[in-house]
Amino acid sequence: MTSGQVTAVSSSATHTFGKVCLPGIRLLAGLGVEGDAHLGVTVKHRSRVAQDPTQPNLRQVHLIQAELHDELRVAGFSVAAGELGENVTTRDVDLLGLPVGALLRLGEEAVVEVTGLRNPCVQIEAFQAGLLKQVVGRDEAGELVRRAGVMGVVVAGGEVRPGDTIEVELPQPPHRRLDRV
């Protein structure tokens, strides 16, 4: 097991691009972040609802590594916690390197199972011009690389606050690489 820290938590009751930083959020098992627009058993992201509103919600919680915010600031962008739509901002956890099914124990009770990568959309470009190229690109082999965090489902509910520890539990091998969800 590896460990990291929650640096910020955010939520929005409406489908806004960014979310408001809060002193704490409550995760609800099988649903997501209490009071968040993406709370629910079935998909809540507008594009997914338009395709098939009965799909399971594999995007209940959005997590982004604070290290991405640091890199974006160095590149000249002004990005704070919650502004890219994440519910939980982390530090010292390689979110993008986790396999599907990794468990993130947030604080004392909450557990999120990682389901896949966030697929950044044009809203990021509307937020700040040039930002989409910073969070989506290609590696040396020409493979698409998504860096805008991971998505997950709530396995066990509980309160999550800035300063809480994050314990990572990997699933049994073989591990499956994250893909967009």
Side-chain angles (χ1 to χ4, degrees):
M1 256 200 248
T2 59
S3 65
Q5 186 175 46
V6 174
T7 62
V9 293
S10 309
S11 181
S12 176
T14 60
H15 286 277
T16 57
F17 178 70
K19 297 183 186 284
V20 177
C21 282
L22 300 168
I25 57 174
R26 175 173 288 285
L27 300 186
L28 303 175
L31 296 172
V33 179
E34 183 176 55
D36 193 81
H38 298 104
L39 177 81
V41 174
T42 57
V43 294
K44 301 300 174 200
H45 286 77
R46 292 179 185 167
S47 62
R48 306 286 169 102
V49 170
Q51 292 172 358
D52 178 3
T54 66
Q55 294 177 71
N57 187 2
L58 301 178
R59 300 167 56 111
Q60 294 173 358
V61 181
H62 177 202
L63 301 98
I64 283 186
Q65 59 282 10
E67 291 85 354
L68 175 63
H69 293 162
D70 298 342
E71 290 175 31
L72 294 173
R73 279 191 286 280
V74 168
F77 295 90
S78 175
V79 180
E83 288 186 332
L84 295 180
E86 75 272 19
N87 300 109
V88 179
T89 309
T90 69
R91 184 162 298 279
D92 297 326
V93 176
D94 180 13
L95 295 175
L96 303 178
L98 295 173
V100 172
L103 297 178
L104 303 175
R105 297 183 186 285
L106 308 170
E108 294 182 21
E109 303 171 311
V111 179
V112 172
E113 180 179 342
V114 177
T115 56
L117 296 169
R118 176 187 183 190
N119 189 37
C121 65
V122 294
Q123 287 182 332
I124 288 177
E125 191 65 18
F127 174 64
Q128 288 184 39
L131 193 55
L132 185 59
K133 282 188 175 185
Q134 297 293 315
V135 297
V136 178
R138 301 232 176 239
D139 64 15
E140 300 80 30
E143 297 290 320
L144 194 61
V145 176
R146 294 175 178 88
R147 300 180 347 116
V150 299
M151 308 304 285
V153 296
V154 182
V155 175
E159 292 286 330
V160 181
R161 294 180 179 86
D164 282 350
T165 60
I166 303 169
E167 297 293 328
V168 178
E169 184 179 326
L170 298 178
Q172 292 296 316
H175 293 158
R176 285 186 334 179
R177 281 184 50 180
L178 293 177
D179 198 1
R180 75 180 186 126
V181 64

